[in-house]
Amino acid sequence: LSWESLPILPTTRAHGAIIHFVSHVSGRISRINYEVFDQMEELPSVMDMHVYPQFLDEGNEIEKTVDIRSDTGWAHVMNDDEEEFQRDIARLIELQKEMFDVEEG
């Protein structure tokens, strides 16, 4: 392989991102919506995902996400089809609003 054989500008072969899950709720976790987790994992662009253990026990406290240290987990997202990639990211963002039910107060 020689430098001359490489393109001057790189070409995009796939699109990728790490999506950090945002908590939109605050309170005591009363229900963990595992069916939402399943929907997230089934998206074609989701390669891997993880919800932090402290958010997998009902009765634990959860706060609204305010920074990277207060996120609830992550998903690795990758796809060579940009439209599907963008669609899956948008769906992940919508689904994260439904991950947890809480008792406020």
Side-chain angles (χ1 to χ4, degrees), residues 38-64:
D38 291 341
Q39 288 179 49
M40 294 169 129
E41 286 179 323
E42 290 170 2
L43 293 170
S45 302
V46 174
M47 301 291 110
D48 194 15
M49 65 176 265
H50 180 73
V51 177
Y52 300 134
Q54 65 266 35
F55 303 113
L56 295 176
D57 288 323
E58 291 179 9
N60 283 357
E61 292 292 323
I62 189 170
E63 297 295 327
K64 289 184 180 181

Side-chain angles (χ1 to χ4, degrees), residues 7 12 21 33 41 54 67 70-71 74 80 83 91 98 105:
T12 301
F21 299 142
N33 296 320
E41 286 179 323
Q54 65 266 35
D67 57 24
S70 57
D71 69 349
W74 49 261
D80 59 357
E83 286 181 24
R91 184 68 180 136
E98 303 171 25

Side-chain angles (χ1 to χ4, degrees), residues 19-25 63-66 70-73 93 96-97 99-100:
I19 304 298
H20 291 270
F21 299 142
V22 172
S23 170
H24 293 267
V25 295
E63 297 295 327
K64 289 184 180 181
T65 298
V66 295
S70 57
D71 69 349
T72 60
I93 291 168
Q96 45 186 312
K97 296 174 186 172
M99 291 173 71
F100 308 102

